[in-house]
Amino acid sequence: MAGLRRLSGRGCARTGLLAERRLVFVAGLPGTGKSLLVHQLVHVAGGAGRRIHLLQWDVARPVFEASPAGRRYPLADGVTHAVIRRAAGLWVRDALVDWNARYHDPEHLLVGEVPFVGNRFVELARRIDDRAEAMLTAASCRFAIAVPSGEVRRFLEAQRERRARTPLHPREREDAPPHVLRDLWQGLAAVARGNAGGAAPYDPAVYAGVYRRVLRHRHTEVVALDVILPTERLSVYDFAVTPRELVPTETVAERFIWEVERRYPDPRVLDGEIARWWET
């Protein structure tokens, strides 16, 4: 992941307000500054005395892939298998309910990093009749969309190229590789255009518009990232205040993989749903 980028003045103010919530999910494509915003939230909230818990796609996902059942569904050219994506999505809503019951005191804050694209935790954006829905629609829950300017996006892509070769933190090895970043943006642009047209340059307005549409059932805020502050020796995975991580056990991960296999005996049905991930 890239070095730290400074938020805009308005972005800093919004980060402070977000840090007062109970649940904050930072949504967006890989390579758009989600990890920066998460890092800032953890720093600000920790400084205010909150007890931080962290949910991250790239931390939870490998548990599913490493489980005995998950080994049947390995990464393909850096892309997570559809079964793993769906299993993680089923797990995450149950995990929220369990977390809320265990850490009910208001000092606790859960910060989530949720890509959504390609069905990566997008279940959090969908209205589902379960115990998690009331938490996700409450005033104490916010979904923040990290939106980099064109300049910051170019910086992030270049930095991702460098960090893919020489990571500063072990978890940077789990970051989406540069070619996946580019493919995901083109896929998102195609969603915005109704699958029409060819390759499109990054457009912050188009990007934010798609994520607003996906999150139309949730309380959302857009956080602009528009200033570059290169810090080549720092990683956004290094926290001054170490948060607790919300991850499944291997046994739990396997249970949800089996559930996906039960629900989707025909993998083409699952692939079709994954392809329409933005329909919430």
Side-chain angles (χ1 to χ4, degrees):
M1 184 61 198
L4 300 183
R5 276 77 54 201
R6 182 161 53 89
L7 299 174
S8 66
R10 181 178 297 179
C12 288
R14 285 187 172 177
T15 301
L17 293 174
L18 288 170
E20 299 174 0
R21 304 288 177 178
R22 168 77 169 161
L23 302 169
V24 180
F25 299 100
V26 181
L29 289 174
T32 53
K34 296 191 309 299
S35 296
L36 162 68
L37 187 49
V38 167
H39 192 278
Q40 295 285 324
L41 276 168
V42 170
H43 175 74
V44 172
R50 303 294 299 278
R51 301 182 68 178
I52 315 300
H53 303 251
L54 195 56
L55 166 71
Q56 291 178 294
W57 169 259
D58 283 330
V59 175
R61 169 188 55 78
V63 180
F64 289 87
E65 292 170 336
S67 69
R71 291 172 199 155
R72 298 193 293 271
Y73 307 106
L75 289 169
D77 196 24
V79 178
T80 305
H81 195 284
V83 169
I84 300 297
R85 283 181 262 172
R86 189 73 177 103
L90 295 179
W91 163 77
V92 74
R93 291 184 70 108
D94 275 13
L96 286 186
V97 173
D98 292 343
W99 176 86
N100 192 53
R102 178 175 296 185
Y103 302 105
H104 50 80
D105 291 338
E107 65 181 342
H108 293 278
L109 165 66
L110 177 64
V111 179
E113 188 172 349
V114 291
F116 287 168
V117 64
N119 214 105
R120 294 165 173 85
F121 282 163
V122 76
E123 286 81 0
L124 295 175
R126 293 188 173 132
R127 290 192 293 190
I128 299 174
D129 185 15
D130 64 4
R131 292 181 296 165
E133 188 65 17
M135 298 169 56
L136 294 166
T137 56
S140 57
C141 177
R142 283 293 183 276
F143 285 79
I145 307 169
V147 180
S149 65
E151 181 187 10
V152 171
R153 171 68 175 182
R154 288 189 292 272
F155 172 81
L156 290 168
E157 289 181 341
Q159 190 76 303
R160 181 64 64 91
E161 293 273 6
R162 291 190 290 271
R163 292 292 174 89
R165 296 189 297 268
T166 55
L168 291 184
H169 191 283
R171 285 188 173 168
E172 291 178 355
R173 297 188 180 95
E174 298 294 340
D175 287 341
H179 73 277
V180 173
L181 261 63
R182 293 187 287 270
D183 290 346
L184 290 175
W185 160 250
Q186 293 302 329
L188 193 78
V191 169
R193 298 191 307 262
N195 293 314
Y202 171 73
D203 185 324
V206 170
Y207 163 62
V210 172
Y211 271 83
R212 281 196 181 106
R213 187 199 315 174
V214 171
L215 285 163
R216 64 188 183 277
H217 305 305
R218 304 291 184 242
H219 299 293
T220 62
E221 295 188 23
V222 172
V223 180
L225 307 176
D226 55 16
V227 179
I228 297 172
L229 182 62
T231 52
E232 298 296 331
R233 297 184 180 181
L234 294 179
S235 171
V236 291
Y237 294 109
D238 290 323
F239 294 98
V241 178
T242 303
R244 298 186 182 187
E245 292 179 339
L246 183 59
V247 293
T249 64
E250 182 180 277
T251 300
V252 169
E254 276 208 303
R255 176 162 58 87
F256 282 98
I257 291 172
W258 293 334
E259 176 62 17
V260 173
E261 292 173 336
R262 185 191 68 80
R263 292 189 187 188
Y264 298 94
D266 184 348
R268 293 172 297 181
V269 175
L270 175 59
D271 289 340
E273 290 186 8
I274 295 290
R276 301 186 303 276
W277 64 270
W278 66 89
E279 295 179 355
T280 58

